[in-house]
Amino acid sequence: MSVQSLLSYALTVPDLKAGQCFYSTFGLDPAERDGVLTFRCDGRDQDQVFLVEGKKKRLNHLNFGSDDKGIAAIRGRMQQRGLAEIDAQHNVFGGGLWLQDPDGHPINVRPEGPRPWRPAPAFTINSPGHYQRTGERGAPHRHTARPHRLGHVLLHTPNLDRMVAFYTEVLGMRLSDRVPGIIVFMHLPTGGDHHVVALLADTRPGFHHASFEVASPDEIGLGAQKVLGSGYRNGWGFGRHVLGSNFFHYLRDPWGSLAEYFCDIDQIPADGSWKAEDHGPEDSLYLWGPAVPEDFGANFEEA
Ligand SMILES: [Fe+2]
């Protein structure tokens, strides 16, 4: 009785054209509806990123999918806690349940699931003693990254405990792993990716990054090469995380937040058998990769 998927996120940004250019270069397909920019992943009939024009960049809202029973349960838990419903942020985003998390981010939960989509072809590589690619010549012939789905978001928060309580107790997400006082990873009770919403302790709220799944480490490399070759700033990568264990590369968007390519993230079963663990700070970042840039965890959102 909870949220069951992360469908999309929306940012308010001061320059829609700059946003269209960045996300298109990143590999998403842009469109426009009632003055709002929308972006889709390759092979998916569903908007996963929205850009709304406004004075300064901030998270406009997060949009989760559930079913009628799940929404009724969330409404019940809101009533127990005295949490009020709020108005939709824009007519483009439509109905469902609207509420606010403790940092004031609008949250939309609607009776909708991820639309059918065309999964990426399986990625195979040869390894010692396991030669699957026979009769093929050279690296896979793709020239750019084409993300297949939105995976997760990471938010800065000055209210780590209250935010975790909201996402787990009101929305019904589950704890995956945490580095106490620093970062908390949460997954959906329907199982799947190791983290769908993650929270980073900070002095003020902010949108740190959103992450998109691609088919392979090759595609991460191709995507990063194109984004960096188009003049955007590097965020951090190429590397492999410890918690979630995904390959990653982060690129800076025009407002200092990040878009991440990922693949091979740990999968959590839906049966509730996953036990969240506390980890040391050394596990919060990476197994291997370039040194962490000093500004990687910085919050570029204005107060
Ligand atoms: Fe990430």
Side-chain angles (χ1 to χ4, degrees):
M1 298 300 167
S2 66
V3 291
Q4 295 168 7
S5 57
L6 172 65
L7 296 175
S8 65
Y9 67 94
L11 300 179
T12 299
V13 299
D15 184 347
L16 289 182
K17 266 223 161 76
Q20 174 160 0
C21 191
F22 174 77
Y23 278 108
S24 302
T25 307
F26 188 78
L28 305 185
D29 295 329
E32 188 264 332
R33 212 160 65 242
D34 290 349
V36 173
L37 287 185
T38 65
F39 297 87
R40 293 184 174 198
C41 290
D42 188 36
R44 178 183 288 271
D45 178 25
Q46 193 161 40
D47 300 321
Q48 298 222 279
V49 183
F50 296 90
L51 298 181
V52 187
E53 193 155 5
K55 275 197 185 129
K56 45 186 189 179
K57 180 232 141 189
R58 65 176 175 82
L59 178 65
N60 181 284
H61 73 271
L62 296 179
N63 171 218
F64 294 92
S66 185
D67 53 22
D68 290 335
K69 273 189 180 165
I71 291 173
I74 293 168
R75 228 180 223 121
R77 296 194 288 262
M78 287 171 66
Q79 280 161 5
Q80 286 167 7
R81 289 165 178 77
L83 300 177
E85 295 188 32
I86 63 168
D87 293 333
Q89 293 298 292
H90 192 288
N91 58 0
V92 165
F93 304 131
L97 172 64
W98 284 85
L99 66 161
Q100 267 182 326
D101 73 15
D103 282 351
H105 302 123
I107 304 293
N108 177 223
V109 188
R110 67 180 60 173
E112 183 180 320
R115 303 263 177 86
W117 55 295
R118 177 166 46 79
F123 175 70
T124 54
I125 57 169
N126 290 326
S127 58
H130 305 276
Y131 301 102
Q132 301 175 66
R133 294 181 66 237
T134 56
E136 292 178 44
R137 179 176 289 123
H141 287 179
R142 290 198 74 160
H143 300 287
T144 186
R146 295 284 283 151
H148 279 79
R149 66 181 175 97
L150 168 65
H152 61 266
V153 293
L154 172 64
L155 307 178
H156 300 269
T157 177
N159 302 302
L160 191 58
D161 292 342
R162 282 177 59 209
M163 286 283 276
V164 171
F166 172 85
Y167 281 90
T168 55
E169 293 168 17
V170 179
L171 295 190
M173 298 188 76
R174 290 183 183 157
L175 215 55
S176 308
D177 281 304
R178 60 181 189 171
V179 178
I182 297 178
I183 193 165
V184 176
F185 298 94
M186 291 171 289
H187 62 277
L188 297 163
T190 41
D193 290 1
H194 173 270
H195 48 280
V196 171
V197 174
L199 299 166
L200 181 63
D202 203 341
T203 53
R204 60 182 197 280
F207 171 80
H208 182 270
H209 77 264
S211 194
F212 296 84
E213 188 181 50
V214 293
S216 66
D218 273 325
E219 203 172 338
I220 294 180
L222 287 166
Q225 176 174 261
K226 179 169 179 187
V227 174
L228 295 175
S230 303
Y232 293 102
R233 284 199 303 132
N234 197 18
W236 182 34
F238 174 63
R240 189 152 193 156
H241 283 304
V242 176
L243 300 177
S245 90
N246 51 299
F247 292 106
F248 65 85
H249 201 138
Y250 297 84
L251 292 313
R252 289 270 173 212
D253 71 17
W255 312 284
S257 44
L258 298 155
E260 177 189 17
Y261 295 115
F262 79 89
C263 68
D264 196 20
I265 197 166
D266 288 345
Q267 294 296 299
I268 289 182
D271 60 9
S273 60
W274 181 272
K275 297 278 180 275
E277 287 181 354
D278 286 353
H279 295 256
E282 68 280 3
D283 286 350
S284 62
L285 287 163
Y286 65 139
L287 184 63
W288 57 261
V292 188
E294 228 169 69
D295 63 356
F296 178 69
N299 186 352
F300 287 93
E301 223 149 287
E302 290 174 40

